[in-house]
Amino acid sequence: MTDAGREQNFTLPVSRRHLLGGMATAGALTVSAAPAAARRARKSTGAWDFIVVGAGVFGAWTAWNLQRKGQKVLLLDAWGPAHSRSSSGGETRLIRTEYAGNALYTGWAWDSLAEWHQLSKRHESPIFHETGALYIYPEDSAKIDASIAIQRGLGIPIEKLGVTAMATRWPQIRFDGIAVGVMQPTMGALMARRSVQNLVGEFVKAGGEYRQFAVDAPRSDNAALESITGTGGETLTAGRFVFACGPWLPKLFPDVVGGRIVPTRQDVFFFAPEAGDLRFEAANFPAWVDVSSPDLHYGFPDIESRGFKVALDKHGPSFDLDGFDRRITDAALRDVRAYLARRFPDLAKRPLAESRVCQYENSDNGHLLIDRHPGWSNAWIVGGGSGHGFKHGPALGRYVSDLVLGTGKAEPAFVLTAHKVHG
């Protein structure tokens, strides 16, 4: 789901999902056209080193990295890479390195940005839009300065701005109740669905395999997981397994994950600026996060003519991913218009061009959940994006691939025992 400025959650010390047309530029899928006998042979011989379940941003980057390390990888998803109900579906995700002093996530985001740039350059349609990212705060603090210092130490361009300077640069914003802003000019918007589908296309073109395959909850009484079974009864075997199923992890692993990850409903709105009004286009306006808002509103300028995006980071109600019509409510629309009237008054009465109901997959503390399954030596669980995980896909893919190949060290904040069941 969209990133939304999760800096207030990170207090622990750290050392620290048929493909769409967007994949055509990266190479068409070949596995679906493979003869059924060939697929059965692979199944029966266990020819895959890894099966990665879930072709969202976490699973795609993990499979991509494992394939480039010489592993034979099969990537699976029940509906398709970055499908519309996944945490990686939809249009835009914010990439920023403003993490209130959290050195691990700051570094991961900065490292990942370079790889997002490279992926974008390899494809005709842009994957990254450098809009800049503006944080606005109700008060100045030493924590803001500490975060800026960490970023400058990594060579990340960043500005601390007063209200007068911000009002001069972006008169479209009403800065009531704001004391200071932090601008990151090299940050911006990742095109979520497009980026994941292009990445999976590269993975397939380089020799990886992808299948649309719905997995039942894995079962094994042994110390290792021998196989997984699809909802249609087909069994797939591999040496090792990675389950990067986002908000579906609690359903696949109710005893291990269960309440450690809770999917919440998150409403997203796109408003149409007035015809000819260029002030809210990406060339003239940054992505933004309003830390002064009780609900921590955030959004994007009008990118690729979709409209001015507004969402809120406050966790919505938990909901059933598989039994819910994704429609926004009239009350939610009234609330967001009230917010626009306070902060972006020229957009408050503009038509709603589009809306989405997405989800976060929240861990109790906002940290990622990446660990070996406690009962199976060859299976790993990867999730807990908590609304801020998308940007970290490249770094996370490297981390997970190293971890499962035995060449990486586990981060204490990510392990299962560091995550509590939501109370």
Side-chain angles (χ1 to χ4, degrees):
M1 180 53 213
T2 38
D3 181 287
R6 307 287 300 169
E7 72 281 0
Q8 294 173 326
N9 288 339
F10 302 113
T11 57
L12 297 183
V14 291
S15 57
R16 313 208 282 124
R17 159 174 9 163
H18 310 95
L19 294 181
L20 302 180
M23 293 191 60
T25 59
L29 289 177
T30 59
V31 66
S32 296
R39 296 201 299 269
R40 286 195 298 270
R42 275 201 176 277
K43 175 195 67 175
S44 61
T45 60
W48 296 294
D49 299 310
F50 282 90
I51 292 178
V52 179
V53 183
V57 68
F58 288 0
W61 277 108
T62 296
W64 191 91
N65 276 278
L66 286 169
Q67 196 273 338
R68 277 152 180 77
K69 293 176 185 290
Q71 303 297 305
K72 294 181 180 179
V73 185
L74 172 62
L75 178 64
L76 306 175
D77 197 278
W79 292 282
H83 63 83
S84 63
R85 294 188 296 144
S86 71
S87 295
S88 297
E91 293 303 308
T92 47
R93 300 294 186 273
L94 178 63
I95 184 164
R96 42 89 184 186
T97 53
E98 176 58 22
Y99 262 102
N102 185 297
L104 174 61
Y105 291 134
T106 298
W108 269 28
W110 184 235
D111 290 344
S112 292
L113 180 60
E115 292 196 57
W116 286 119
H117 270 292
Q118 293 169 17
L119 181 64
S120 190
K121 290 176 181 178
R122 296 196 297 267
H123 296 274
E124 183 177 352
S125 297
I127 283 167
F128 172 69
H129 291 274
E130 192 177 89
T131 64
L134 175 67
Y135 269 66
I136 53 176
Y137 293 94
E139 59 185 24
D140 201 353
S141 70
K143 195 173 185 179
I144 294 173
D145 291 333
S147 179
I148 290 173
I150 288 175
Q151 293 175 78
R152 286 177 174 163
L154 294 172
I156 302 172
I158 191 167
E159 304 172 79
K160 187 176 183 181
L161 302 169
V163 170
T164 300
M166 290 190 291
T168 299
R169 290 173 66 172
W170 303 290
Q172 308 95 313
I173 307 175
R174 182 177 289 168
F175 288 97
D176 296 355
I178 298 301
V180 67
V182 173
M183 177 64 178
Q184 302 178 291
T186 61
M187 304 297 154
L190 297 167
M191 306 309 291
R193 177 180 59 247
R194 182 189 302 159
S195 66
V196 173
Q197 291 173 351
N198 282 334
L199 185 68
V200 175
E202 290 190 355
F203 163 77
V204 171
K205 190 175 181 179
E209 296 185 58
Y210 166 79
R211 286 185 64 183
Q212 189 165 329
F213 187 93
V215 176
D216 277 335
R219 294 174 179 85
S220 176
D221 294 328
N222 300 319
L225 182 65
E226 297 88 2
S227 63
I228 55 175
T229 302
T231 55
E234 183 180 1
T235 297
L236 302 175
T237 63
R240 285 169 280 189
F241 300 84
V242 177
F243 295 89
C245 310
W248 282 271
L249 283 170
K251 288 191 172 186
L252 286 182
F253 302 100
D255 297 330
V256 174
V257 178
R260 289 181 172 84
I261 291 178
V262 174
T264 59
R265 169 194 170 114
Q266 307 295 141
D267 294 337
V268 180
F269 310 84
F270 295 81
F271 293 91
E274 187 175 358
D277 186 353
L278 306 181
R279 296 174 300 156
F280 297 99
E281 291 195 349
N284 303 314
F285 202 82
W288 53 275
V289 179
D290 185 354
V291 184
S292 74
S293 164
D295 294 335
L296 208 160
H297 287 79
Y298 67 98
F300 295 86
D302 188 354
I303 295 174
E304 299 187 3
S305 304
R306 297 305 294 263
F308 186 85
K309 179 178 177 177
V310 186
L312 56 156
D313 189 53
K314 179 181 180 181
H315 293 175
S318 60
F319 75 115
D320 182 359
L321 297 162
D322 299 313
F324 177 77
D325 288 335
R326 296 182 178 230
R327 295 180 291 180
I328 64 167
T329 64
D330 291 340
L333 181 55
R334 286 195 299 269
D335 288 346
V336 77
R337 285 197 183 279
Y339 170 77
L340 288 173
R342 295 194 302 272
R343 191 65 73 201
F344 304 97
D346 291 345
L347 293 172
K349 296 182 179 181
R350 295 301 304 160
L352 179 67
E354 184 178 338
S355 62
R356 286 179 56 84
V357 176
C358 304
Q359 72 271 332
Y360 284 170
E361 43 170 305
N362 299 295
S363 63
D364 72 296
N365 55 20
H367 284 298
L368 306 176
L369 193 163
I370 304 171
D371 203 355
R372 191 193 305 263
H373 188 286
W376 303 323
S377 62
N378 65 336
W380 286 262
I381 296 168
V382 179
S386 299
H388 74 100
F390 191 97
K391 74 175 76 62
H392 299 302
L396 178 142
R398 289 197 306 273
Y399 171 83
V400 175
S401 63
D402 288 342
L403 192 66
V404 301
L405 290 172
T407 59
K409 181 180 178 182
E411 291 289 342
F414 296 170
V415 301
L416 275 162
T417 54
H419 291 76
K420 299 177 182 178
V421 173
H422 284 252

